[in-house]
Amino acid sequence: MHVPDVSVVVIVYNDAERLPAAVQSVLDQTLHGVEVVIVDDCSKDRSYAVARELEAANPGRVRAFQLPENSGGCGAPRNHGIKQATGTYVMFLDSDDVLDRNACRNMLAAAERTGSDLVSGMCVRVHLDNRWGKTTEWYPWIYSRTRTLESITEYPDLLVYDTLSTNKCYRRAFLLEQGLEFPVGIHYEDLLFSAQAYVAARRITLIPNHVYYWNVVEKAAAKSISNRRHEIANFVHRMEIHRRVDELLAAKGHTAIKTAKDAKFLKHDLVLHLRDLPLLGDAYRQEFARLANGYLAGIDPAAYENVTYLQAICAYLLGKEDWKNLLPAADAMTNKGRLSSPLAERDGRVYWCAEHLDDAEGRRILDVTGQGFHTAPLSSLALGNRLTSYEDDGRGTVTLSGTVVNPLGRIQEGTGLKASLEFRARRQIGVRSFSFPVATVRHAGSTIEWTATADIGSTVRPLGIIDAVWDVRLKLTAGGDKLTTRVSVGGVDLESAARLRVRPRLTRLVSDRFEPEVTKKGNLSYVLTAEGPAAVRTQTLLGSAMHGKAAGLVKRSLRRALKARRNIGSGEQKVKVYHEVFSKLPVKKGTVVFESHMGKQYSDSPKAIYEELVRQGAPFEAIWSYAGAKPTGFPEQATLVKRWSWQYLRALAQAEYWVDNQGFPLALTKRPGTTYIQTWHGSALKRMGFHEPRTKAQGKVAQDRFQKAVDRFDHFLIRSEHDVRTLAKGFRLRDEVLLRTGYPRNDALVEAHRAEAQSGERVRGPLAAELGIDPDKRVLLYAPTFRASADGTVEGFEFPFDVEEFADRLGDRFTLLVRTHYLNSASLPPSVAGRVVDVSRHHDITPLLALADGLITDYSSVMFDYAVLDRPMLFFAYDYEKYSTDIRGTYFDLKEKAPGPVVATADELMQAVAAFDEADAKYAEARQRFLAEFGEYDRGDAARRIVEKFFTRSGK
């Protein structure tokens, strides 16, 4: 008898309708040696009958089994499937999901090639009830490339994050030898089974292929086990599984993995349940705290260093069972960016709350000084706004009261207050919103109290079909600050609230009531529904009709109409209009579109070229691209267009020149009559373009798309032959495209160095006074490279050294300027004011470089620019081994070529700064070599040469 290569165990319970699709995804595998083992968990519907029908229709390929009684979980049917499987390898599939067509082939090939006991591929969550067809890759950074592990200790993230059992292929002999089974009678069985498999496996291979499609229905009537978090039994099971995994790791001595797992528990598992706490009763909270705190007591304290400040605060306050401060913190964690606590200030530090500050651990965890709530503009803060009472007249009028957080009393007593309550349709089609004046708004110490009455019945006029959900916002004006806040429900009971009468614009036959509802994030909204007899009958008829034979045509027509309306402003539609309409318009001679860092700044070489054009009086029309709500810091005499707006697209289509330092949108084709001058934004240490392994791994279609984008460059500025070997080769640029002019942004630095050499004096200029720099102190600029989290998301910048210690030890001699990458942000404690200055908001770094007496960086390309000034540089490479050997790699060893000390610890950094003059003299020759290799074409005339070549009559 032929032994199958892979046995796929498909488990099912009361899912007769979806079971055939799951099984068919196995039968359709490109690998033919695959069998299906269906195990029915004693369903009450036709699931087992359907399984038998599939067995009969596919003899020899499908076998069906049924457990004698329902087990209540996934463990027992999967264990039975392992016993019945005959394949060399085993996979698991749930009846409501499907496998990728090449899953078995790809996983088998990897297992056979490497001899691994376990092969894991990428799972994709498919959001079935999302109208846009949303899909989400499950921890994609884990599967960025193929890798084989000899032990789970080589890559703890795998055990910590990917706890699924279904995106994996297991050698069946391995499962039997190790006696690996799923726990029975307890939920979250995947967590324990996957941990046991990871720890026991002698070799594990990860492949960057999609293998499993996890179908998710967020609005399902019957919630999945993991989504029934309001049931305390759910949390009991989760805690028990975590304890068992911890025991396994302890028995194997995997302490490092345990610490990483603890951090993930705080960041993920605990957070899932904390989000629901503001909406649940006291009895649940008390039992939840009892269960959670017993487990939290065993968490490694080091785990708290790897979570967000709110996650740590919530865990700490839960341990204290401080509901008054915990519930606002949980609300803030659910609603990202919301400040839901009035805060407290003690001895120059800012804390989440005034309680627990007599506890050293409490002071450490509750310290939120670094978040900058005390310095950020008030209008930039999303202040918490909690509903305190809800009343209605049973007809169409509602009275709401609430409190808005007043952090540190920043909205001072006596500040003029006014507010309005806004009802806004979530799908903004037709009428956008309706507002009601707030009758009462007043100061109340740490909060602003408000009360408003809204006559919804006679004022709010929804369309009635396509604007079914309406959100509530409070718009508050405090002096010159304008703030918009969502209204969180908190502990207000809406169960007895009446449905409010409304008059839809289209017809009352579909909906005639507004029903208050709590959103997933705990905020107040209203949903259009039906209550009148006619409306109920109409909805019933519509429901029946939508399942009738004529429904298909109606649905398709409605979808087309809605899609056309929706797509008017979509990216896809804009790209289409750009190519089919705007690109047919004539090119406007003398028009130049400038862009720096994708519209985020007025800076860099595009700025230098623009200002040289102005200085020479060249005949041109300047258009600057900006990103964000409104432009700040851009030249008033230029035309400003928002990135991706219709004006932006038309300007690009008709421009004679494109000038930018990063890349205009990849989807936009450059017209033959347009000249694209790519100034780029720095020489390369990290591998770029086609030199990057991830670009090589993208496949031909993605590579061709990228090549097409860089082929738009008519001219590419370089500042050294190093750029030719790295950037130019990485982007596959032809030699005739390269302009060996140097960077226009560095012209000012070359001039500053010449002036200093001639006069023997360093002139700091007005920027020093603007920043309040003490003329007796030297200025150091700390400019680190871009930082992202492990999954690629952009986060706030974390200082790799203690800025307070830096200020205390060196602040009498140096002023430290801190400028993070434009995609990151930092916040300084108030205690360092005057000694450490955040200059990250300055668009252009060039004046900051000219001001600084020395540079501290890690791997930022700013090192190449600063070399022009021939001033000291320090390299704080605290994670150099990780940075230089990660998947991208570097073009050269920084430690060999660095024109200054390379230090690895904060103490070494401060010692190097203390010995500033010594480093200046010691590395003088190294700086000259560095400049000669990486800045040979920076001669101070780059902007002039480019303007004369392209924009003046003599140049043309």
Side-chain angles (χ1 to χ4, degrees):
M1 178 180 176
H2 176 68
V3 176
D5 292 313
V6 180
S7 295
V8 179
V9 176
V10 183
I11 64 170
V12 60
Y13 177 69
N14 288 351
D15 199 17
E17 185 176 345
R18 292 179 292 188
L19 176 61
V23 171
Q24 194 61 47
S25 75
V26 184
L27 297 175
D28 290 341
Q29 288 293 298
T30 52
L31 179 70
H32 298 300
V34 181
E35 73 163 352
V36 184
V37 178
I38 305 174
V39 183
D40 174 61
D41 197 11
C42 200
S43 297
K44 297 177 182 178
D45 69 350
R46 294 192 68 256
S47 292
Y48 185 56
V50 171
R52 293 295 301 273
E53 292 166 5
L54 291 167
E55 180 182 46
N58 299 277
R61 298 197 66 194
V62 177
R63 292 183 290 136
F65 303 89
Q66 185 179 46
L67 299 185
E69 59 183 11
N70 179 250
S71 69
C74 301
R78 285 178 182 158
N79 291 338
H80 191 75
I82 295 172
K83 294 175 183 176
Q84 298 297 335
T86 61
T88 307
Y89 296 89
V90 175
M91 293 177 64
F92 301 106
L93 173 64
D94 293 344
S95 60
D96 52 348
D97 302 328
V98 294
L99 293 182
D100 181 88
R101 193 162 181 265
N102 296 301
C104 292
R105 177 183 294 277
N106 288 333
M107 299 183 98
L108 175 69
E112 296 291 275
R113 184 178 68 253
T114 62
S116 293
D117 291 326
L118 187 161
V119 175
S120 189
M122 195 182 300
C123 172
V124 180
R125 283 168 59 96
V126 181
H127 301 265
L128 297 179
D129 52 354
N130 180 273
R131 69 172 68 93
W132 317 115
K134 176 183 174 183
T135 60
T136 309
E137 292 181 336
W138 192 251
Y139 299 114
W141 78 86
I142 292 176
Y143 298 98
S144 61
R145 61 184 175 90
T146 299
R147 68 176 91 193
T148 297
L149 313 173
E150 299 299 326
S151 166
I152 190 60
T153 58
E154 294 178 20
Y155 196 43
D157 275 1
L158 183 59
L159 182 146
V160 172
Y161 289 96
D162 186 1
T163 57
L164 301 177
S165 65
T166 48
N167 59 334
K168 297 171 177 60
C169 180
Y170 311 84
R171 192 181 301 275
R172 186 165 65 92
F174 159 69
L175 296 179
L176 298 177
E177 289 167 7
Q178 298 293 329
L180 293 181
E181 291 187 339
F182 290 86
V184 176
I186 188 169
H187 303 318
Y188 304 106
E189 58 282 308
D190 270 22
L191 273 70
L192 181 58
F193 181 83
S194 60
Q196 291 172 329
Y198 286 142
V199 169
R202 288 155 295 203
R203 186 171 294 160
I204 302 168
T205 295
L206 311 181
I207 59 174
N209 307 90
H210 292 170
V211 299
Y212 193 92
Y213 293 99
W214 176 4
N215 291 325
V216 181
V217 181
E218 297 286 352
K219 300 175 183 177
K223 292 291 185 182
S224 66
I225 291 167
S226 59
N227 283 329
R228 297 202 296 267
R229 292 187 291 273
H230 60 283
E231 300 174 5
I232 197 66
N234 183 292
F235 192 60
V236 171
H237 286 214
R238 188 185 289 270
M239 291 295 89
E240 177 58 26
I241 286 292
H242 273 282
R243 287 190 183 90
R244 294 188 192 182
V245 174
D246 290 347
E247 290 171 1
L248 169 69
L249 296 177
K252 298 295 183 180
H254 294 324
T255 54
I257 298 179
K258 169 65 164 58
T259 301
K261 177 187 166 295
D262 284 347
K264 194 244 186 176
F265 176 82
L266 296 173
K267 293 164 67 172
H268 175 73
D269 301 82
L270 187 61
V271 166
L272 287 175
H273 292 268
L274 285 172
R275 285 173 174 168
D276 295 326
L277 282 186
L279 306 176
L280 298 170
D282 288 339
Y284 178 95
R285 292 174 190 165
Q286 297 299 330
E287 181 62 12
F288 174 80
R290 185 186 68 79
L291 293 166
N293 289 334
Y295 185 78
L296 287 172
I299 291 282
D300 185 345
Y304 285 88
E305 303 298 325
N306 297 307
V307 301
T308 68
Y309 77 98
L310 274 173
Q311 290 162 353
I313 286 172
C314 284
Y316 176 81
L317 294 174
L318 177 62
K320 299 295 182 182
E321 297 190 38
D322 180 355
W323 305 110
K324 184 186 79 168
N325 291 305
L326 170 58
L327 296 181
D331 178 48
M333 192 164 52
T334 302
N335 294 274
K336 188 175 181 181
R338 177 176 291 176
L339 175 57
S340 57
S341 172
L343 308 177
E345 187 171 0
R346 299 286 188 278
D347 301 323
R349 308 297 296 175
V350 179
Y351 299 93
W352 182 257
C353 57
E355 291 76 14
H356 317 296
L357 301 185
D358 55 346
D359 171 26
E361 184 183 22
R363 286 197 307 276
R364 179 178 64 82
I365 292 177
L366 296 171
D367 190 332
V368 294
T369 310
Q371 303 306 314
F373 295 131
H374 56 301
T375 58
L378 194 62
S379 57
S380 70
L381 299 177
L383 299 182
N385 184 359
R386 185 175 60 85
L387 194 66
T388 55
S389 72
Y390 182 101
E391 299 176 2
D392 61 67
D393 64 358
R395 297 185 298 276
T397 300
V398 63
T399 299
L400 308 177
S401 296
T403 59
V404 178
V405 166
N406 183 9
L408 301 174
R410 292 184 60 183
I411 304 176
Q412 298 178 3
E413 191 78 36
T415 302
L417 301 174
K418 62 179 180 179
S420 62
L421 198 63
E422 179 189 67
F423 291 73
R424 177 180 288 268
R426 189 171 296 173
R427 295 185 66 188
Q428 297 174 13
I429 299 173
V431 179
R432 296 171 62 86
S433 64
F434 297 90
S435 294
F436 301 88
V438 172
T440 302
V441 55
R442 65 184 185 85
H443 293 271
S446 62
T447 63
I448 303 296
E449 295 182 348
W450 60 271
T451 299
T453 298
D455 183 2
I456 291 174
S458 60
T459 306
V460 177
R461 300 293 309 279
L463 289 173
I465 296 177
I466 56 179
D467 52 352
V469 182
W470 290 67
D471 295 316
V472 182
R473 290 175 170 83
L474 181 79
K475 293 195 166 184
L476 174 66
T477 300
D481 292 310
K482 295 183 178 180
L483 305 97
T484 299
T485 67
R486 287 297 301 273
V487 180
S488 65
V489 174
V492 175
D493 183 11
L494 299 181
E495 290 295 326
S496 59
R499 294 179 174 183
L500 306 172
R501 295 176 183 175
V502 291
R503 295 183 298 153
R505 290 178 179 270
L506 295 182
T507 175
R508 293 188 183 184
L509 295 178
V510 176
S511 54
D512 60 357
R513 293 289 188 276
F514 247 177
E515 182 176 8
E517 181 180 80
V518 183
T519 69
K520 288 173 62 177
K521 293 187 175 183
N523 299 314
L524 178 63
S525 67
Y526 284 87
V527 178
L528 276 171
T529 185
E531 186 167 289
V536 172
R537 284 197 302 272
T538 304
Q539 283 208 337
T540 302
L541 289 172
L542 282 174
S544 300
M546 292 309 283
H547 293 286
K549 291 184 178 180
L553 178 61
V554 175
K555 287 181 180 177
R556 286 192 295 273
S557 298
L558 179 60
R559 278 197 294 267
R560 280 197 297 268
L562 290 176
K563 183 178 180 181
R565 182 187 289 268
R566 185 172 66 238
N567 281 350
I568 288 175
S570 70
E572 180 182 354
Q573 187 70 12
K574 284 184 173 180
V575 171
K576 186 176 181 181
V577 171
Y578 170 86
H579 288 106
E580 297 182 5
V581 180
F582 292 159
S583 292
K584 301 297 190 294
L585 299 174
V587 170
K588 296 171 66 175
K589 293 294 183 181
T591 303
V592 189
V593 177
F594 295 92
E595 185 171 286
S596 179
H597 294 302
M598 297 183 289
K600 292 181 174 65
Q601 296 178 353
Y602 172 61
S603 66
D604 213 82
S605 293
K607 173 188 175 184
I609 294 172
Y610 165 77
E611 292 184 348
E612 179 67 17
L613 281 165
V614 173
R615 189 186 67 78
Q616 291 196 27
F620 77 109
E621 178 188 353
I623 300 172
W624 269 93
S625 152
Y626 72 90
K630 51 186 176 182
T632 56
F634 288 85
E636 294 181 0
Q637 58 269 47
T639 300
L640 305 183
V641 293
K642 186 172 183 179
R643 202 170 196 264
W644 272 112
S645 67
W646 292 111
Q647 296 89 337
Y648 173 81
L649 296 174
R650 180 166 182 167
L652 284 175
Q654 292 192 270
E656 184 180 7
Y657 291 96
W658 291 0
V659 179
D660 93 306
N661 65 353
Q662 194 151 342
F664 287 109
L666 301 184
L668 305 182
T669 301
K670 182 184 69 67
R671 298 174 66 179
T674 301
T675 299
Y676 191 166
I677 302 173
Q678 173 56 256
T679 69
W680 203 240
H681 53 274
S683 298
L685 171 61
K686 276 278 193 179
R687 294 187 179 275
M688 300 292 294
F690 288 98
H691 290 164
E692 291 187 57
R694 65 183 180 185
T695 304
K696 296 176 182 178
Q698 283 179 339
K700 189 175 187 306
V701 174
Q703 288 185 16
D704 289 347
R705 186 165 56 245
F706 180 66
Q707 185 67 64
K708 185 178 179 182
V710 297
D711 282 347
R712 297 179 302 173
F713 304 160
D714 295 298
H715 305 283
F716 187 90
L717 273 56
I718 60 170
R719 54 196 304 265
S720 69
E721 289 304 303
H722 168 76
D723 291 353
V724 177
R725 297 187 296 271
T726 57
L727 291 171
K729 297 292 185 185
F731 293 143
R732 296 178 178 173
L733 300 177
R734 305 182 311 279
D735 189 68
E736 58 266 29
V737 171
L738 307 182
L739 288 181
R740 291 170 168 82
T741 59
Y743 282 170
R745 71 183 186 193
N746 288 341
D747 289 350
L749 301 181
V750 174
E751 180 57 33
H753 177 58
R754 285 175 181 163
E756 184 179 331
Q758 291 170 3
S759 67
E761 297 181 8
R762 182 169 304 165
V763 179
R764 286 184 168 177
L767 181 57
E770 178 188 330
L771 296 174
I773 302 295
D774 185 336
D776 294 328
K777 293 183 182 179
R778 292 187 175 181
V779 178
L780 297 179
L781 176 65
Y782 177 46
T785 192
F786 170 64
R787 298 284 174 174
S789 62
D791 60 357
T793 58
V794 180
E795 299 180 341
F797 177 75
E798 295 287 340
F799 280 95
F801 60 91
D802 188 331
V803 289
E804 289 182 289
E805 182 185 359
F806 189 100
D808 291 341
R809 287 176 60 173
L810 301 164
D812 59 334
R813 296 172 53 198
F814 298 93
T815 297
L816 181 67
L817 307 182
V818 176
R819 190 180 194 276
T820 60
H821 188 278
Y822 72 93
L823 290 175
N824 292 130
S825 60
S827 185
L828 297 171
S831 59
V832 302
R835 297 176 292 173
V836 183
V837 182
D838 184 9
V839 292
S840 300
R841 293 182 184 273
H842 284 250
H843 278 220
D844 198 357
I845 196 174
T846 302
L848 297 169
L849 294 174
L851 172 62
D853 298 301
L855 174 72
I856 303 172
T857 187
D858 43 17
Y859 322 107
S860 172
S861 64
V862 73
M863 70 176 82
F864 302 110
D865 304 287
Y866 197 74
V868 171
L869 292 164
D870 190 25
R871 298 177 190 170
M873 284 187 266
L874 305 176
F875 297 85
F876 185 26
Y878 57 92
D879 57 351
Y880 183 70
E881 296 306 319
K882 177 182 177 182
Y883 189 88
S884 62
T885 59
D886 76 354
I887 188 170
R888 274 180 71 179
T890 59
Y891 284 116
F892 62 88
D893 187 342
L894 178 63
K895 290 184 177 181
E896 291 182 2
K897 295 182 180 289
V902 180
V903 297
T905 68
D907 191 58
E908 289 176 354
L909 170 66
M910 294 184 200
Q911 289 179 27
V913 172
F916 185 79
D917 292 328
E918 180 182 330
D920 187 1
K922 180 178 179 181
Y923 287 89
E925 291 185 11
R927 291 199 300 272
Q928 291 300 316
R929 290 195 300 271
F930 194 79
L931 177 62
E933 181 172 359
F934 298 108
E936 59 187 299
Y937 300 132
D938 275 331
R939 298 164 186 152
D941 60 354
R944 179 182 59 78
R945 291 173 62 189
I946 289 167
V947 168
E948 291 177 353
K949 179 177 179 64
F950 296 104
F951 299 103
T952 62
R953 291 185 177 89
S954 60
K956 290 185 174 184

